[in-house]
Amino acid sequence: MKKLLFISLTLLFISCKKEYKVTMPDTAGWDLFTAAGTASLPPSARQAMEGVYDVGNGSNTFGNLTAVKWSYVINRGDTTFHVSGFFGKDITYFICEGKQLNGSILLNGYWRKMVSTETGIIRLTINAANGASLLLSPSPVINTGSIVIDGVFGNRQDEPQNPITLTYNRKLHHSPTPFNILAHRSGGRNSDLLPVSENSVEMILKTAEFGSTGVEIDVRFTRDGIPIIYHDNDLNLRETQKSGLVGPIENYTYAELSAFVRLIHGERIPTLRQALTAVVDQTQLSFVWLDTKYIGSLERVQTLQQEFRQRALQRGRNVEIVIGLPGQDQLDNFLGLTDYATTPSLCELSMDDVRRTNAKIWAPRFTEGTQNDNVAIMHAEGKRAFVWTLDVPEFIDQYIREGHFDGILSNYPSCTAYYYYVQQ
């Protein structure tokens, strides 16, 4: 009897257990968005549309403000633009494609709350009277209230019916010196249920949609000496699909990993070369933090760093690539490079270690506080300071308002983007 009761309770638990996952909605159902006569938006319209908007309808779901910003990605020679809105409530964002049709601007995409599995379709329109005529003019000048975005949003795959209204308030905040919004593991963790895997090329191509201006990626080596991007020490079901391979990733050649291992969403583990190629050739990202997760020579990483820095310059892009030094072993190996003093690096250790390595950036852990005095010392010495890894919205807000850091590393770059851009 006890055995039967145990089995019954087990089956009841399994049947009632919720599956924690996010199914991205299919946004292809808006006939107007695919109608004949739609065209892409001119660069001037995209640029002028960026700004901080007041949220009217929909504020109960999204909060009172949103920061709207465009991004792009290049794939097989074609450039795709996305507009993102970053909200202050529940780390929420929307990501849409944009088109123009008959004098109106149409935005079609999805929204997502990062603190839950809530998501759904969002469809937005700017008609001629509400700012589309102004945005589509040759030289648009935008003032408070001159753009009103009306639309609807829904839950999951439901047809969107809930109203949302966004009204232009002001320009996005930009500090006098560049501020880096850095995405941990190239965009976020697998546990955050994103549509692509952490530390994948696919994530690198998507991360600007989350507000990222740069990425942190984790460098390891295969058994045959190929630098790859992978966070954990071992092959595991947190990062990969079931494959039969177990143990340290360094036990396998790149050919073995490429043939048998797939990341959570089916992507291959990328090489460092593939990751840097994606950053330089296909995105607008301007910063790469190479977090060295292994102990050993840094020469191959340095070679790729130099190669892709030059590659970016040849393409007219300024992409900063720094070697991260998270521990004493990595620092010692860095000092073993003959030209370490001129090799761009980021040091997570003491300020004296920053000076020893001639690192460009000091990167202390966020638990040490804002450390404005120490940041000021680094600035006086011509160095910058980043803080990691900030994920609590209240802390992100505090560090942006009260701190003097030059960048924040977070699993929620959309949250950092919101608090940074809405500053007054």
Side-chain angles (χ1 to χ4, degrees):
M1 181 62 70
K2 288 183 178 179
K3 185 174 182 181
L4 287 174
L5 179 61
F6 173 77
I7 294 173
S8 298
L9 290 172
T10 301
L11 291 174
L12 179 64
F13 172 78
I14 292 172
S15 65
C16 294
K17 185 179 179 182
K18 271 190 172 182
E19 187 175 6
Y20 189 67
K21 67 177 182 178
V22 174
T23 301
M24 303 308 298
D26 183 356
T27 63
W30 194 12
D31 293 339
L32 190 64
F33 196 73
T34 56
T38 57
S40 60
L41 296 174
S44 57
R46 292 193 299 269
Q47 182 176 358
M49 193 189 303
E50 293 188 341
V52 177
Y53 288 71
D54 296 312
V55 183
N57 294 324
S59 60
N60 288 340
T61 300
F62 299 111
N64 295 322
L65 290 176
T66 183
V68 172
K69 197 169 191 313
W70 283 88
S71 62
Y72 72 81
V73 65
I74 302 170
N75 205 351
R76 297 189 176 123
D78 294 327
T79 304
T80 301
F81 293 91
H82 290 94
V83 61
S84 301
F86 310 115
F87 298 92
K89 186 174 182 180
D90 300 334
I91 316 180
T92 307
Y93 57 80
F94 71 73
I95 299 172
C96 293
E97 289 189 62
K99 294 181 180 181
Q100 58 174 309
L101 176 67
N102 299 329
S104 291
I105 294 174
L106 309 177
L107 306 174
N108 182 45
Y110 70 95
W111 63 275
R112 166 82 199 279
K113 283 183 181 284
M114 292 296 293
V115 299
S116 69
T117 61
E118 293 180 76
T119 186
I121 297 169
I122 188 168
R123 295 171 183 164
L124 305 170
T125 301
I126 310 172
N127 62 33
N130 281 344
S133 294
L134 180 60
L135 288 167
L136 295 172
S137 65
S139 301
V141 177
I142 308 303
N143 298 306
T144 301
S146 58
I147 304 173
V148 178
I149 306 175
D150 283 312
V152 289
F153 67 97
N155 295 311
R156 301 192 182 275
Q157 198 56 48
D158 294 345
E159 187 69 13
Q161 297 180 341
N162 305 306
I164 180 172
T165 305
L166 312 175
T167 303
Y168 184 89
N169 182 303
R170 60 185 184 271
K171 292 182 179 180
L172 298 175
H173 167 80
H174 289 282
S175 55
T177 56
F179 182 83
N180 288 272
I181 301 171
L182 302 175
H184 193 220
R185 304 182 195 180
S186 75
R189 303 161 297 191
N190 289 332
S191 58
D192 294 313
L193 308 179
L194 294 165
V196 288
S197 303
E198 66 181 53
N199 275 323
S200 65
V201 167
E202 288 75 7
M203 182 69 88
I204 289 171
L205 298 182
K206 192 168 183 61
T207 193
E209 297 173 23
F210 303 142
S212 312
T213 64
V215 291
E216 178 257 19
I217 53 180
D218 302 295
V219 182
R220 294 188 179 277
F221 273 79
T222 61
R223 193 178 74 202
D224 51 340
I226 305 296
I228 59 171
I229 306 304
Y230 191 83
H231 183 272
D232 294 356
N233 293 322
D234 298 333
L235 292 169
N236 57 58
L237 295 181
R238 190 196 71 78
E239 291 199 70
T240 65
Q241 299 175 359
K242 190 173 182 179
S243 67
L245 301 187
V246 296
I249 199 161
E250 290 83 0
N251 288 354
Y252 300 95
T253 66
Y254 180 71
E256 291 169 336
L257 294 173
S258 185
F260 299 113
V261 177
R262 294 293 179 270
L263 298 175
I264 288 295
H265 290 281
E267 311 94 339
R268 285 182 168 84
I269 295 174
T271 64
L272 177 56
R273 175 174 291 279
Q274 290 169 338
L276 292 176
T277 298
V279 169
V280 171
D281 293 357
Q282 297 181 259
T283 78
Q284 66 193 80
L285 299 171
S286 60
F287 193 93
V288 183
W289 174 345
L290 303 176
D291 192 7
T292 49
K293 292 293 188 184
Y294 69 97
I295 299 173
S297 172
L298 293 169
E299 288 184 6
R300 292 190 184 184
V301 174
Q302 181 195 46
T303 298
L304 286 169
Q305 175 194 37
Q306 294 170 344
E307 175 187 338
F308 280 91
R309 170 64 177 158
Q310 289 302 311
R311 181 167 174 157
L313 292 173
Q314 290 167 4
R315 284 160 173 72
R317 299 197 58 222
N318 183 21
V319 180
E320 189 172 6
I321 305 170
V322 300
I323 296 176
L325 307 175
Q328 189 62 48
D329 290 318
Q330 289 84 1
L331 184 146
D332 291 341
N333 282 307
F334 184 78
L335 293 175
L337 299 171
T338 55
D339 51 352
Y340 75 86
T342 57
T343 297
S345 63
L346 173 152
C347 183
E348 297 179 26
L349 305 176
S350 70
M351 291 192 295
D352 283 340
D353 289 322
V354 172
R355 299 180 182 107
R356 286 178 61 205
T357 55
N358 197 33
K360 286 176 171 284
I361 301 163
W362 176 50
R365 187 189 299 264
F366 85 94
T367 51
E368 300 299 319
T370 54
Q371 301 190 77
N372 286 342
D373 290 344
N374 287 335
V375 171
I377 292 172
M378 290 285 95
H379 286 167
E381 296 179 13
K383 301 182 184 299
R384 287 169 290 161
F386 295 171
V387 62
W388 60 275
T389 300
L390 271 173
D391 289 338
V392 177
E394 291 78 7
F395 288 168
I396 294 174
D397 181 26
Q398 177 191 353
Y399 274 65
I400 287 176
R401 286 187 296 102
E402 300 176 7
H404 299 152
F405 284 105
D406 306 284
I408 290 176
L409 176 66
S410 177
N411 288 297
Y412 302 129
S414 59
C415 187
T416 307
Y418 170 79
Y419 284 111
Y420 175 69
Y421 289 125
V422 301
Q423 291 182 90
Q424 290 185 292

